[in-house]
Amino acid sequence: EPEVTQTPSHQVTQMGQEVILRCVPISNHLYFYWYRQILGQKVEFLVSFYNNEISEKSEIFDDQFSVERPDGSNFTLKIRSTKLEDSAMYFCASSGEGLKNQPQHFGDGTRLSIL
Amino acid sequence: GQQVMQIPQYQHVQEGEDFTTYCNSSTTLSNIQWYKQRPGGHPVFLIQLVKSGEVKKQKRLTFQFGEAKKNSSLHITATQTTDVGTYFCAGPGKAAGNKLTFGGGTRVLVKP
């Protein structure tokens, strides 16, 4: 069964440094997402991406965050200047063959630790 | 903004017993989705309910969508150790972005 893959599985970064989290969504999906989950808490929406542009973002997704689909397969989340509170598990997800509200398929996540 | 709440936050269940977890949205939903997250894992889609009053079953799991499309429940019968994990309900937003708003989850612990 096709999967969403994320790399790296764990990223340790000094506060203030830039970090790029990478994702390869399921190949025929058209909607891509980033969510984060602080340890022991609920999954929080960050951003959705469709047709090569951001379609929706949350208040968490401020100017320090950006997303890109640099080629036909990768989908990246960049945090420009990391803060301690950015420490969390970051999940990439993808959905749909063009339809709204389809189930979302999540990757295994990247655990981001900011020191 | 839209809020999705779940109770209970924790559910300790004796193996073989039944339990129910409840989900409530502050707004009417076009559909509700349920996900399961095993410890250390990622959310895995279980089911989607679309129609008012809809009931769907997956083996020992029964999912229900309320008549007003603002609440949902998950009932598990004869709990097994494989049911351990956190069960999240999630509702889509109204904007075009397909965002899911997750509830806080019910963390299920099974006592053998």
Side-chain angles (χ1 to χ4, degrees), chain A residues 1 26 30 33-35 39 47 49 53 56 59 61 68 71-72 78 80 82 92 96 109 113:
Chain A
E1 187 176 321
I26 294 173
L30 298 178
Y33 315 86
W34 285 100
Y35 292 84
L39 187 63
V47 65
F49 193 87
E53 60 182 20
E56 192 172 2
E59 60 276 7
F61 194 89
E68 224 180 19
D71 53 44
K78 182 193 289 186
R80 198 171 8 257
T82 49
C92 174
S113 300

Side-chain angles (χ1 to χ4, degrees), chain A residues 33 35 37 48 101 104 107-108, chain B residues 35 37 42 48 92 97-98 100:
Chain A
Y33 315 86
Y35 292 84
Q37 186 178 34
S48 59
N101 294 328
Q104 296 184 15
D108 287 339
Chain B
Y35 291 78
Q37 184 177 28
H42 60 274
Q48 181 182 45
N98 271 0
L100 284 176

